[in-house]
Amino acid sequence: MRSVPHLVALSLVVIALAGCGNRNPPAATQSPPPALASVVVHAQTAHDEQVWDGVVEAVNQATITAQTNARVLELPHDVNDIVAKGDVLVRFTDVEQKSARSAAQAQVASAAATYKEAAASYKRIDAVYAKGFISAAQMDQQRAQRDAAQAALASARAQLDQVGQALDYTVLRAPYAGIITRRYVQVGEAVQAGPPSPQPLITIQALDDLRVNVQVPQSAVDAIRHFHAAEVLLGGGARRVAASSISVFPYADPNTHTFNVRLQLPAGDTGLYPGMTVKVAFATGEAKRLLVPASALVQRGELLGVYVLDEHGAALRQLRIGHRYADQVEVLAGLDDGERVATDPAAAARWLTESRHGVAP
């Protein structure tokens, strides 16, 4: 046997849905509604859409590789750690690199001393040559010695720069802020800069600059290029993120005959992350559609409708809806152009309940 509260709740649901689908409800127990927030719906130009799957990826992503032969000394960060630009990612042993730098610095000092002596000797010979006391051959020989010493100094300095760069490679830093997605080495492991190729160390991706890659059939490419508008559908289409720019690749994949379309996402927290699959709606045409604010929709079990206002009062009207366009929803059936709907369904429901119970709104 059903309980009394259950029967009362069932009666209230029946009363709330009594006016659904009735476009001309009786006015005997209702008076015209007060100044409820409302809007008159009209057919508007909206895009036809086609939806394909896409994959989110980071614009800035890189696999950092070894540029020197050394042993891993420190890995301050692990996978899923968020790092700032300039943070240390890998630190290597640097005994060999520091020894090589000391040797290079000694070579530079020696070459500089040799050049200084050669330059001074050339200056003295040049003064004597001007007075005619030595031959041109002797002068040329002294000049050659000075130039050779100068070249040796330049070579030593270049060697020092090269060794210094190798020392810098023993500390690898993040090129930009992002998240570590993969680590290929462990502390104590020896790495090689090659051959045949540098050893991978860490993969990092930036989360503040994302894009979506979509493969679309060649039959839709012309329309996509023409309208140049697309949105990423989130939450089953309840929320949309408009692409800030769209790039259609100028060539098709010879195996699938599809074109790659790249969507740049706006900056900020979109709730998207690299590697996610998403639905992307592309504008492919235009048509007149009857649109209502999504905030005006009322959900009653499986019923979806709006409160329609007219001279008789308010009535809950069942609708069949189509696509969602930002904060508006397409009406396929249940509403005519020019009808007025309540934009605050809660206030309309209260007014309807009070009027049916004889309470002044």
Side-chain angles (χ1 to χ4, degrees), residues 12 22 51 95 133 185 191 263 296 331 345:
L12 291 177
N22 184 5
V51 179
V95 175
F133 294 135
V185 294
V191 300
L263 284 66
V331 177

Side-chain angles (χ1 to χ4, degrees), residues 41-345:
V41 296
H42 294 290
Q44 304 177 38
T45 300
H47 286 134
D48 288 329
E49 293 181 338
Q50 286 186 281
V51 179
W52 289 281
D53 292 329
V55 178
V56 181
E57 66 177 25
V59 174
N60 295 318
Q61 53 183 331
T63 297
I64 300 174
T65 59
Q67 298 299 309
T68 186
N69 299 332
R71 189 176 300 276
V72 178
L73 181 64
E74 182 183 359
L75 291 168
H77 302 283
D78 204 347
V79 175
N80 292 331
D81 285 353
I82 295 177
V83 297
K85 181 179 179 180
D87 282 357
V88 176
L89 301 180
V90 186
R91 193 184 300 275
F92 297 106
T93 55
D94 56 5
V95 175
E96 295 180 0
Q97 287 79 7
K98 285 184 176 179
S99 298
R101 182 182 63 178
S102 298
Q105 289 174 337
Q107 289 179 355
V108 169
S110 175
T114 301
Y115 172 69
K116 182 178 180 181
E117 181 182 357
S121 178
Y122 172 78
K123 187 175 182 181
R124 290 193 298 269
I125 295 297
D126 184 52
V128 175
Y129 176 74
K131 298 178 181 179
F133 294 135
I134 61 173
S135 65
Q138 290 176 308
M139 183 64 188
D140 293 341
Q141 183 181 8
Q142 194 63 43
R143 183 184 295 109
Q145 291 177 356
R146 183 204 61 180
D147 293 345
Q150 187 177 19
L153 176 59
S155 176
R157 287 173 174 170
Q159 181 65 25
L160 177 61
D161 291 340
Q162 183 178 359
V163 171
Q165 186 65 61
L167 182 61
D168 291 341
Y169 287 149
T170 61
V171 179
L172 299 183
R173 301 181 181 273
Y176 39 73
I179 184 171
I180 297 175
T181 58
R182 189 169 181 182
R183 199 178 74 178
Y184 299 88
V185 294
Q186 303 295 331
V187 173
E189 184 175 345
V191 300
Q192 299 288 329
S197 60
Q199 183 173 344
L201 304 173
I202 281 181
T203 297
I204 183 174
Q205 295 184 353
L207 300 181
D208 58 351
D209 196 4
L210 302 177
R211 63 191 179 197
V212 179
N213 279 326
V214 187
Q215 299 293 326
V216 301
Q218 61 185 28
S219 58
V221 169
D222 289 341
I224 291 174
R225 285 194 176 116
H226 175 73
F227 290 100
H228 214 70
E231 294 178 320
V232 178
L233 309 182
L234 303 176
R239 187 165 71 92
R240 294 187 169 211
V241 178
S244 57
S245 65
I246 300 175
S247 300
V248 182
F249 283 31
Y251 56 88
D253 188 313
N255 296 319
T256 62
H257 310 295
T258 58
F259 283 78
N260 188 53
V261 181
R262 180 173 290 169
L263 284 66
Q264 180 66 43
L265 297 178
D269 184 12
T270 59
L272 297 173
Y273 297 92
M276 292 177 61
T277 58
V278 292
K279 298 288 185 181
V280 181
F282 289 92
T284 56
E286 289 182 337
K288 289 287 187 179
R289 303 182 188 279
L290 195 63
L291 303 177
V292 298
S295 59
L297 295 177
V298 180
Q299 186 81 39
R300 295 287 187 270
E302 296 183 357
L303 168 69
L304 191 63
V306 293
Y307 285 100
V308 180
L309 309 180
D310 58 18
E311 67 275 8
H312 301 294
L316 182 59
R317 180 87 58 77
Q318 184 176 2
L319 302 181
R320 184 161 63 91
I321 65 172
H323 288 294
R324 181 169 183 145
Y325 299 89
D327 58 350
Q328 293 185 308
V329 178
E330 176 189 10
V331 177
L332 300 178
L335 198 64
D336 292 330
D337 191 308
E339 291 193 283
R340 182 178 296 275
V341 300
T343 56
D344 187 349

